[in-house]
Amino acid sequence: MKRYYQPEIETASPEQMRAWQDERLVKQVQHVWDNVPFYRKKMEEKGLTPADIKSVDDLKKLPFITKDDLRECYPYGLLAKPLNECVRIQSTSGTTGKRVVAFYTQHDVDLWDDCCARAITAVGGTNEDVCQVAYGYGLFTGGPGLNGGSHKVGCLTLPMSSGNTDRQLQFMTDLEATILCCTPSYAAYLAESVNERGLRDKIKLKAGIFGAEAWSEEMRRDIEKQLGIKAYDIYGLTEITGPGVSFECEEQTGMHVNEDHFIPEIIDPNTGEVLPEGTKGELVFTSITKEAFPLLRYRTRDICVLSRKKCSCGRTLIKMAKPMGRSDDMLIIKGVNVFPSQVEAVLLEQGYQANYQIIVDRVNHSDTMEVQVEMTPENFSDSLAKITEMEKSLVAALKTMLGIYAKVKLVAPKSITRSEGKAVRVIDKRKI
Amino acid sequence: MSIQQISVFLENRAGQLAEITKVLAGEGIDLRAISIAETADYGVLRMIVDDSQKAKSILLDSGYIMSVTPVLAVAVPDAPGGVASVLELLAEGKIDIEYMYSLFTHVEGKAYMVFRVSDEGKFKALLDSHGIQTCGPEVLGLKQ
C-alpha cells in the first residue's frame, strides 16, 4: 500500500525542506510586492523591500496580517493575480459580517487538492477506496477540499455534502464507503444512527477524516468504537487554503503541516515575538506557493504547539498539536466561525440593545447556539404576534450574518448575568 | 369608547407572575381583568387595573417592560349565547380578533369583555347598530 502521496516531499530531509521554503518565500515576497499594493505599503511602513527577505530566517521581519486586514481588503484588496487567471472562490465569515473571500487559480486548487490527497493517503486511502465526503459543499472549504483530494488519490468519490442522514447511510452501505470525511460532530451523529438502525455489520468504513471543529480524544475513541474505524484529525482555514493545511497520520499524535506550502510559526499573541519550537502560542501561517491569495504571516488566533519530534510514520513534516484555544473571542459552531461582534451588530441593527448572551452547547453530538437578548420597550407590544414576528426576523438576520441557525430567546431587562459589572458574552457548555 | 390596558413582558419562569401581582398589590392596585398570552420562553401579561397611570409608574419604576394600549370593553348580555352574538358580528364583518378576555366586573345582567380587533371602528359601528354597548372607564369604575 502506498504510504505517502508525495513521498519526496513528505519525507524530505530538513535541509531539502528548508531549501524549498527559502526559495519559495523569497519568490512569494517579490510576487506580493509586485502585485498587492496593500503588502507593499505594509512592508514599506516597516522599511522593508523584497531584498531584505533572503530566507526563512528573515520571515520574522515581515509584518503580520490579521482577519481585520482581510476584512478591510474585501473583496479584491489582497488579490495577487488578475481575475481572469482565478478559477474559484471560497468564503468564510469575517468579524463583523463582512465575509472573507479567498481566490484560487487552477494552480492553487491543485496544490490544495494535493494537500488533501496527502491527508487521505495518510489514513490509508488508495484508488481502491470509496470516499464519502459529507462536509458541506459550497463556499465552505470542507467539501470542495476533500473532494479534490479524493479525486487526486483516485478514490471513488461520493460528493454527499452534509445532512440528509438517510441518504448518507444508504450510500455508505450500498456503495460500501471505506473513508468518511465530515465534521466530528456529524461523524458522531452518523455513528449513532448506524448503530441505532443496526447497520454496523453492513458498513465497510475503515477510516474517517474529521475536522473543521474542535473535538476531544474521548470523542475520537467514541467514534472509533462505534464505527469500528480509525478517526483522524485534519486542520485548515479558508484564509490559508482550507482543510489540508495539516493532517494526522497513523500515529494520531498531532497534525503534519504541509510546510512546503505553508510555513508555520508560533508567536506570543501579545508581543508578536516568535517563540521557540515546543512553546505554546499563536499559530501563524505564510503561504509560499499560492498565487491568487497569498497570505504572509497570517495570524490564525489558534493557540497551539509545533514539534519537530521524529514521527513513526516516516514523515518529516513538522507537526502541530490540536489547537488548544483561541487568542480572540471567535467561536467555532457547527464548523462555522462565529464572532460575538457579529451577533452584536445584528442585534443593534434590529433595535435591540447590546445586552446579550450566546449560549453554545452540544446536544446529541451537534452544536447548538442560543442568543439571549433583553427585550426593549421599543420592541415590546401588547400583541404576541408582533413580538414573535420580530423574533423571527431576528433569527433570519442572524442566519444571514452567521450562516447558521441560532435560537433566539427574549428575556426580561437586566436579566443577563453580569460579573463584575461586565456582561459575560459567551457561555460555552460544550465539553471539548 | 375605550379603556386603558396594561401589557407587560414576562419571562416564562416560575414566580414571575406572583412577583408582579405582589408589586401591584403592595401599592394598592386592584386588578379588574388579567390575561396571558405565552410562547415557550416568554409571555405577554395583559391587565385592566383600577388606576392605570399609577400602575404604569409602579411597573416602570420596578424595571418592567410594559406598554399601555387602548382596548374596547364590550358589555355582553349575561345570558347563554351572549358572547356568541358578539363573535357572530365580528365574523360577519370579517374582523379579526387579536385577543379577548373577560373582566371580573359583572353587573345587572351584563358581563364585560375586552376585545382587541383588526378594525376597531367597524366593530364599534356593528355593535352600535345591534344595540350592544361599549363602555368607558367610568362605567367600570376605573381611574384612567
Side-chain angles (χ1 to χ4, degrees):
Chain A
M1 196 172 71
K2 204 174 160 184
R3 296 194 64 191
Y4 314 108
Y5 178 68
Q6 289 167 312
E8 69 291 354
I9 298 167
E10 294 171 66
T11 63
S13 69
E15 297 73 31
Q16 175 62 68
M17 181 56 69
R18 181 58 196 253
W20 282 327
Q21 289 180 338
D22 286 343
E23 182 202 328
R24 291 170 184 180
L25 175 66
V26 168
K27 213 175 123 198
Q28 188 71 292
V29 169
Q30 187 67 50
H31 174 57
V32 301
W33 173 271
D34 291 342
N35 295 291
V36 186
F38 175 85
Y39 273 118
R40 183 186 283 240
K41 188 168 160 264
K42 271 208 147 190
M43 284 175 66
E44 280 171 348
E45 278 165 12
K46 286 199 112 187
L48 293 169
T49 69
D52 294 307
I53 311 300
K54 296 185 186 73
S55 74
V56 174
D57 289 336
D58 298 321
L59 187 57
K60 58 179 183 290
K61 294 181 186 165
L62 289 168
F64 292 112
I65 180 160
T66 64
K67 200 142 184 154
D68 283 340
D69 292 325
L70 302 193
R71 187 166 55 94
E72 261 173 51
C73 293
Y74 172 90
Y76 298 124
L78 286 166
L79 191 61
K81 277 280 182 184
L83 273 181
N84 63 8
E85 288 186 41
C86 296
V87 297
R88 171 98 67 81
I89 66 146
Q90 302 289 160
S91 174
T92 184
S93 60
T95 42
T96 53
K98 263 195 189 168
R99 298 187 68 92
V100 171
V101 174
F103 298 83
Y104 302 73
T105 61
Q106 187 56 53
H107 162 273
D108 296 336
V109 173
D110 280 338
L111 77 85
W112 179 21
D113 290 350
D114 283 342
C115 290
C116 289
R118 290 179 195 174
I120 293 169
T121 307
V123 308
T126 69
N127 60 2
E128 302 292 332
D129 280 292
V130 177
C131 185
Q132 178 162 2
V133 183
Y135 279 113
Y137 278 64
L139 291 172
F140 176 56
T141 50
L146 271 306
N147 187 85
S150 176
H151 277 220
K152 287 241 173 179
V153 172
C155 303
L156 174 64
T157 310
L158 313 185
M160 304 299 297
S161 197
S162 53
N164 199 338
T165 300
D166 287 342
R167 194 171 61 193
Q168 300 280 0
L169 295 180
Q170 189 193 337
F171 279 41
M172 186 183 287
T173 50
D174 293 354
L175 299 178
E176 303 189 335
T178 53
I179 298 174
L180 174 66
C181 307
C182 60
T183 58
S185 53
Y186 195 49
Y189 181 72
L190 285 173
E192 214 172 76
S193 308
V194 161
N195 287 294
E196 268 170 22
R197 300 182 197 190
L199 297 173
R200 179 63 196 273
D201 297 336
K202 295 197 173 64
I203 59 165
K204 297 281 191 292
L205 288 179
K206 61 179 189 186
I209 300 177
F210 307 131
E213 248 174 29
W215 52 313
S216 60
E217 231 14 72
E218 191 190 359
M219 192 169 172
R220 186 210 296 265
R221 298 302 159 214
D222 190 45
I223 296 171
E224 290 189 329
K225 202 171 133 214
Q226 287 209 55
L227 288 175
I229 62 169
K230 291 273 266 177
Y232 300 91
D233 207 350
I234 188 167
Y235 173 89
L237 56 170
T238 308
E239 295 88 335
I240 297 304
T241 194
V245 170
S246 66
F247 61 95
E248 231 174 21
C249 64
E250 65 223 34
E251 207 181 72
Q252 295 182 315
T253 54
M255 295 172 278
H256 289 285
V257 178
N258 284 314
E259 56 177 319
D260 54 321
H261 296 300
F262 319 110
I263 301 178
E265 295 172 278
I266 293 286
I267 62 158
D268 178 326
N270 299 316
T271 63
E273 184 199 348
V274 178
L275 300 175
E277 184 201 317
T279 315
K280 197 161 113 176
E282 185 183 327
L283 185 60
V284 170
F285 278 112
T286 297
S287 46
I288 49 175
T289 50
K290 279 178 70 185
E291 295 177 339
F293 196 71
L295 298 189
L296 302 186
R297 303 197 88 201
Y298 178 66
R299 293 187 60 163
T300 65
R301 301 288 176 184
D302 281 325
I303 300 293
C304 87
V305 177
L306 291 173
S307 164
R308 284 248 176 241
K309 223 174 106 193
K310 196 165 183 267
C311 186
S312 62
C313 76
R315 284 178 187 79
T316 50
L317 299 170
I318 194 167
K319 273 159 97 171
M320 60 176 269
K322 208 184 250 302
M324 302 150 185
R326 300 275 307 169
S327 70
D328 63 4
D329 57 357
M330 188 180 91
L331 293 158
I332 301 181
I333 304 172
K334 292 182 183 170
V336 174
N337 300 349
V338 172
F339 290 93
S341 57
Q342 293 176 297
V343 172
E344 192 167 316
V346 172
L347 292 176
L348 292 172
E349 177 201 290
Q350 297 272 320
Y352 295 90
Q353 283 168 356
N355 282 330
Y356 64 96
Q357 199 159 50
I358 298 168
I359 294 154
V360 190
D361 205 346
R362 191 162 278 179
V363 181
N364 294 328
H365 301 297
S366 183
D367 291 344
T368 60
M369 177 179 178
E370 178 176 289
V371 176
Q372 295 192 351
V373 58
E374 293 180 356
M375 186 49 136
T376 63
E378 297 73 26
N379 284 352
F380 180 64
S381 159
D382 63 309
S383 159
L384 195 66
K386 276 193 193 117
I387 301 177
T388 51
E389 204 155 292
M390 291 211 54
E391 197 181 355
K392 273 186 202 155
S393 95
L394 179 55
V395 168
L398 285 168
K399 177 94 200 278
T400 305
M401 172 71 96
L402 309 173
I404 56 168
Y405 167 76
K407 177 185 164 24
V408 165
K409 186 174 179 184
L410 297 170
V411 299
K414 298 186 179 65
S415 66
I416 294 201
T417 330
R418 287 157 171 82
S419 66
E420 292 158 13
K422 196 172 171 255
V424 179
R425 290 284 170 244
V426 178
I427 297 178
D428 198 336
K429 295 178 173 170
R430 294 176 294 187
K431 290 182 182 68
I432 300 169
Chain B
M1 199 169 294
S2 55
I3 59 171
Q4 303 289 325
Q5 167 190 266
I6 288 181
S7 311
V8 185
F9 178 81
L10 286 184
E11 268 186 64
N12 221 345
R13 271 194 288 125
Q16 292 293 292
L17 194 54
E19 197 181 300
I20 188 170
T21 48
K22 200 176 148 199
V23 167
L24 291 171
E27 298 285 338
I29 297 287
D30 189 21
L31 296 175
R32 295 299 178 79
I34 187 162
S35 135
I36 296 179
E38 88 283 346
T39 69
D41 295 329
Y42 59 87
V44 176
L45 168 68
R46 304 184 186 113
M47 297 177 287
I48 305 296
V49 298
D50 62 345
D51 189 338
S52 57
Q53 282 314 313
K54 188 173 164 194
K56 181 181 171 180
S57 53
I58 294 165
L59 292 171
L60 288 177
D61 289 349
S62 310
Y64 284 100
I65 296 270
M66 57 88 68
S67 67
V68 179
T69 337
V71 289
L72 275 187
V74 179
V76 179
D78 188 13
V83 175
S85 63
V86 177
L87 295 178
E88 225 165 90
L89 291 180
L90 287 163
E92 270 170 33
K94 294 203 168 22
I95 302 165
D96 292 330
I97 304 170
E98 276 188 47
Y99 53 79
M100 56 180 273
Y101 55 95
S102 321
L103 274 115
F104 305 140
T105 317
H106 192 275
V107 282
E108 312 159 359
K110 277 186 183 126
Y112 295 92
M113 292 201 74
V114 168
F115 281 87
R116 175 93 149 135
V117 298
S118 58
D119 188 340
E120 202 161 286
K122 194 171 171 189
F123 183 36
K124 257 192 206 160
L126 276 172
L127 289 171
D128 285 349
S129 67
H130 288 78
I132 300 173
Q133 291 172 329
T134 56
C135 40
E138 62 289 341
V139 177
L140 298 165
L142 309 176
K143 195 173 148 195
Q144 294 197 322

